[in-house]
Amino acid sequence: QPPRQPNMATDLLIPDPNNPNKLIPNAALIGVKKELRPLGTTVNVKLPAIEGEYGKTFAKNTAEEDIKMLSAARNAPKVAATANRVTELLNKPDIFVGPAATVKLNVARALSVLGADETESMRNTEKLIAAAGQGTLDAIKDAGLGTGQGFTAKDLEFLTNVAGGKIDFTAENLRTMSRLQYRAAELSVKKFTTRRSNMPESATKGTGIDKETYDLPARTGGPTPEAIAYLKANPKTTAAFDQRYGDGEAAHTLRMGK
């Protein structure tokens, strides 16, 4: 049976003259339809099945990613508050004096997670810190962040160890954890609000998302306004800034445009 000949008057896709096995748009017909449209003629273009299904799948996946980013933004104030709560411990140096067990008990008292006995209190502390680490990792994942987007491979490895209960309860480790927590909160909000500006109005105004705000509590122990202003005026001082406020803080501060 001979191959079907294209109908130039009705087929939107026709064989490529240079490659009969490839379909190309029927420019002549499409041009006519465009000319008719201003006259009020309704033009219904039916995409080939494979393109239509691709579009549906792509739209569904995009919507699912948007929902994850929205969830991370909504949870960001809580993540930031937890980060501040941990940072406040660092203002109590006596907490970190003594053997590991004593430090855990001190942290338990400071965070109000005491149990029925010392063993339960230490377990509660371990669970709380591990949950904070996992929550930060979840925020990073849901917001579509990660290596090269505000966090290094070293940062993610550290948070994985926190979530797995594999870190010592030292002031330095808790400082690093709280710093990464707050960063995740800030970037989650920034990522979603940027994305929201490009979302269809039916998905924002129709659901009230366009009016939502995600205000974070001021960061405890973070860079001072003076330090930030100096960094912006002297970007070559990033190393000194990181040494004072933690690895990656200079790049993050400049990225946030504070």
Side-chain angles (χ1 to χ4, degrees), residues 34-48:
K34 285 183 178 178
E35 291 296 326
L36 289 175
R37 187 168 302 186
L39 301 178
T41 304
T42 300
V43 179
N44 295 315
V45 180
K46 185 176 181 181
L47 293 174

Side-chain angles (χ1 to χ4, degrees), residues 129-243:
I129 298 302
Q134 186 60 55
T136 306
L137 284 172
D138 291 342
I140 291 171
K141 180 180 178 181
D142 289 345
L145 302 169
T147 304
Q149 298 187 68
F151 299 90
T152 64
K154 181 180 177 181
D155 293 334
L156 299 179
E157 181 181 6
F158 175 81
L159 289 170
T160 300
N161 288 333
V162 173
K166 298 177 182 178
I167 67 163
D168 294 327
F169 280 53
T170 64
E172 185 57 34
N173 280 342
L174 292 183
R175 181 179 291 107
T176 299
M177 187 190 78
S178 65
R179 174 168 54 80
L180 295 178
Q181 272 187 301
Y182 200 92
R183 185 185 301 176
E186 285 189 310
L187 290 175
S188 294
V189 172
K190 180 169 183 167
K191 184 79 177 281
F192 179 71
T193 52
T194 299
R195 168 58 187 151
R196 182 173 59 184
S197 64
N198 295 311
M199 290 171 64
E201 287 191 0
S202 59
T204 55
K205 292 185 178 180
T207 57
I209 294 174
D210 62 314
K211 299 186 185 318
E212 288 189 4
T213 58
Y214 316 101
D215 299 324
L216 305 183
R219 180 180 170 187
T220 300
T224 64
E226 294 77 15
I228 293 173
Y230 186 82
L231 172 66
K232 292 172 71 174
N234 303 274
K236 291 184 178 180
T237 62
T238 54
F241 193 92
D242 282 355
Q243 186 175 10

Side-chain angles (χ1 to χ4, degrees), residues 74-87:
R74 285 174 169 172
N75 196 47
K78 180 180 178 181
V79 173
T82 301
N84 282 345
R85 193 178 174 198
V86 172
T87 301

